[in-house]
């Protein structure tokens, strides 16, 4: 029996309601976007009582499908002004699935200054006062909650940045070790949660045995899941052994590694921050690569990174963080980047948006490029809410405007991922056209995808379109993107859903689902006031040639307008 | 002809006695493509996600020339 848990933060009511049948085949991003579309006025103020925040496991979460433990959070974004879905690994999604909770829908907002924890278990759900947690970072918050509610609970929390409604605030999710190292980072979901007056969600799945997806043929389903798991564990060894930092070398090789606020495509210090250095150092100090961020993950791309004294520093040190807070800020010390990652995770800040914000601040002359200590101080100012901190906490677009910087690599107000769109043109098309704003998880045209040259514009519209559709499907299913937005994955998902439903589900059905979700998101954005002129890259990408290959972004506006016109 | 092969950290685990960052020299009889090179090294083509020849994006069917530098990257996903 699948339920929606509707939590009204204005009056404190918590109501479980049966999930209406027409939502049965929606999950993850598919469900968050549909509910936001149906229940939120697109013109509403994102941090007011008219916005809602939807927390949803994916459609396959809780099954034996590999790497299916993603948690989607959706709302109208204070960063982009449009619809947002941001997802993370961790343990929360599977626990919600075991409790039969298809979505938590947060509505209204508590009185300013009042803070709550939502406790969910098999005996029910309730809001508890959380005054003692106010101002705490995610790590201290999690320590207190684990002491109080037990070490097996799953936790979703915000840090001081979310409490202070910063548009760059993330939502943290605990990993299997109980650490708040997995984040729904993008789009300021932490600020939306903070605006509701919700500090944390505690999920206790002891004695819970529900499922979200009824399986007509469980043995057939499990057999396909087992086969797919085996294939993934055999073919994703680079991610298992070196993490996403294994991208540093190939992205440098095609001249697309964002360096010095997107002014160059290769970084002199790249050899100090690549996946091999990370893996070697993690292991030598008692940490590890091959760490699973959620139970049942067969890819295990995460890592545990210790400091020079062998003490835990951070986990899930990712390529995007390493490049945007590293190369893009001309910082080539992996230990320093790991410290910045830890600070961002603790304060509840998106490491990617912070990488951009700091680089833009560096370009403005607020601090020198490469000044790690000043970056730490500025992150502290965001957490403590000084005037400067409040500016930086709004992200790169606001920071660029305040300090008069022309080179601000954002679309719809959101900072790009760590791929320069002049060198990875397909990814540039995704940045421009995704309803999520500049976002690599929406359809990342990595070198080699679709057989096209990433430096050339030919064929990229098709590759971006197909990847955006397949990535949307993966987000809706609760699968990790690293199963691959690929035709092979669509085939496996179709086979799994066919066994689950007892009727044939085709790849075409899945692609149609992805298109429908994208249509819904675009429709929300249009009503929110975003137009095709928002589906563009900043003009400097067309004008400034990117060294070393002297590339510009040369995909026409007409081509961009056709990408998601289905 | 001789070419220089530079394999990423994952692919090089399949190559016995891989010398390190400078890459390895390999002799091939002409004509030869990247696929022929992969066959010689016993690397399944589906495990190679990206091929650059002299820094330029290339297909696995591309014909090799003497002294080409061939960079091989495993399936990449990110980030």
């Amino acid at each position: 029996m699948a339920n929606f848990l509707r939590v009204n933060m204005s009056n404190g009511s918590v109501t479980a309601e049966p999930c209406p049948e027409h939502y049965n085949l929606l999950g993850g991003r598919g469900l968050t976007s549909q509910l936001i579309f149906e229940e939120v006025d697109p013109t509403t103020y994102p941090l007011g009582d008219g916005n809602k925040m939807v927390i949803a496991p994916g459609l396959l979460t809780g099954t034996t499908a590999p790497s299916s433990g993603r948690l989607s959070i959706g709302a109208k974004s204070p960063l982009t002004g449009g619809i947002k879905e941001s997802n993370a690994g961790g343990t929360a999604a599977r626990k919600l699935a075991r409790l039969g909770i298809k979505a938590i829908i947060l509505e209204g907002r508590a009185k300013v200054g009042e803070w709550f924890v939502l406790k969910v278990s098999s005996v029910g759900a309730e809001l508890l006062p959380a005054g003692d947690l106010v101002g705490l970072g995610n790590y201290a918050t999690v320590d207190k909650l684990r002491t109080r509610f037990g070490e097996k609970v799953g936790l979703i929390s915000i840090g001081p940045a979310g409490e202070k409604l910063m548009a760059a605030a993330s939502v943290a999710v605990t990993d299997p070790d109980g650490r708040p190292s997995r984040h729904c980072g993008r789009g300021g979901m932490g600020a939306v949660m903070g605006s509701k007056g919700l500090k944390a969600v505690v999920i206790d799945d002891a004695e819970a045995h529900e499922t979200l997806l009824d399986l007509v043929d469980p043995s057939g389903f499990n057999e396909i899941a087992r086969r797919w798991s085996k294939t993934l564990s055999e073919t994703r060894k680079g991610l298992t052994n070196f993490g996403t930092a294994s991208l540093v070398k190939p992205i440098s090789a095609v001249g697309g590694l964002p360096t010095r606020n997107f002014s160059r495509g290769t970084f002199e210090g790249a050899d100090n921050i690549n996946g091999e250095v990370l893996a070697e150092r993690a292991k030598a100090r008692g940490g590890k690569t091959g760490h699973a961020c959620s139970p049942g993950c067969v890819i295990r791309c995460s890592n545990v990174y210790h400091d020079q004294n062998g003490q835990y520093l951070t986990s899930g040190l990712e390529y995007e963080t390493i490049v945007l807070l590293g190369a893009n800020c001309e910082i080539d010390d992996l230990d320093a980047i790991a410290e910045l990652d830890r600070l961002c995770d603790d304060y509840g800040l998106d490491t990617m948006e912070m990488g951009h914000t700091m680089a833009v601040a560096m370009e403005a002359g607020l601090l020198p490029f490469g000044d790690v200590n000043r970056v730490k101080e500025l992150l502290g100012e965001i957490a403590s809410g000084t005037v400067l901190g409040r500016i930086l906490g709004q992200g790169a677009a606001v920071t660029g405007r305040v300090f008069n910087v022309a080179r601000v690599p954002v679309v719809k107000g959101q900072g790009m991922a760590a791929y320069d769109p002049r060198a990875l043109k397909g990814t540039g098309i995704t940045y421009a056209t995704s309803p999520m704003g500049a976002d690599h998880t929406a359809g990342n045209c990595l070198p080699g995808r679709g057989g096209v040259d990433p430096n050339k514009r030919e064929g990229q519209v098709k590759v971006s379109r197909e990847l955006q559709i397949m990535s949307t499907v993966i987000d809706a299913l609760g699968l990790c993107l690293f199963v691959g937005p690929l035709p092979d994955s669509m085939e496996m998902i179709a086979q799994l859903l066919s066994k689950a439903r007892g009727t044939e589900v085709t790849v075409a059905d899945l692609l149609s689902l992805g298109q429908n979700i994208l249509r819904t998101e675009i429709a929300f954005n249009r009503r929110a006031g975003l137009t095709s002129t928002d589906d563009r890259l900043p003009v400097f990408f067309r004008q400034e040639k990117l060294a070393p290959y002297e590339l510009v972004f040369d995909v026409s506006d007409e081509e961009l307008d056709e990408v998601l016109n289905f | 002809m001789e070419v220089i092969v530079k394999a990423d950290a994952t692919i090089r685990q399949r190559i016995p006695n891989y010398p390190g960052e400078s890459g390895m020299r390999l002799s091939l009889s002409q004509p030869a493509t990247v696929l022929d090179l992969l066959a010689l090294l016993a690397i399944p083509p589906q495990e190679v996600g990206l091929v650059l020849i002299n820094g330029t994006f290339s297909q696995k069917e591309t014909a090799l020339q003497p002294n080409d530098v061939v960079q091989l990257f495993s399936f990449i996903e990110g980030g």
Side-chain angles (χ1 to χ4, degrees), chain A residues 236 238-239 242 244 247 249-250 253 276 318 320 419 446-449 451-454 482 485, chain B residues 8-10 12-13 21 47 49-50 52 54-57 59 71 73-79:
Chain A
R236 302 294 188 271
L239 283 168
F242 303 105
T244 52
L247 282 169
K249 283 190 173 182
E276 290 145 70
E318 304 287 352
E320 309 297 342
Y419 317 86
L446 288 163
R449 285 278 195 277
V452 297
D453 183 340
F482 299 166
Chain B
D8 78 358
T10 301
R12 83 178 58 150
Q13 288 171 350
E21 286 302 316
E47 291 190 12
L50 172 65
L52 303 179
N54 305 323
T56 302
F57 176 84
Q59 308 292 345
Q71 285 173 272
F73 295 95
S74 54
F75 178 89
I76 55 176
E77 191 59 78

Side-chain angles (χ1 to χ4, degrees), chain A residues 62 64 80 126 248 301 325 390 458 486 497 532 558:
Chain A
T64 55
T80 68
E126 58 183 332
V248 170
C301 73
L325 277 166
R390 286 186 179 277
E458 287 75 19
L486 304 161
L497 287 180
S532 62
E558 291 71 27

Side-chain angles (χ1 to χ4, degrees), chain A residues 18 71 95 180 262 271 278 297 316 325 368 430 445 497 517:
Chain A
L71 182 78
K95 288 178 186 292
F262 280 66
D271 286 346
L278 186 152
C297 182
L325 277 166
T430 298
C445 308
L497 287 180
I517 297 167

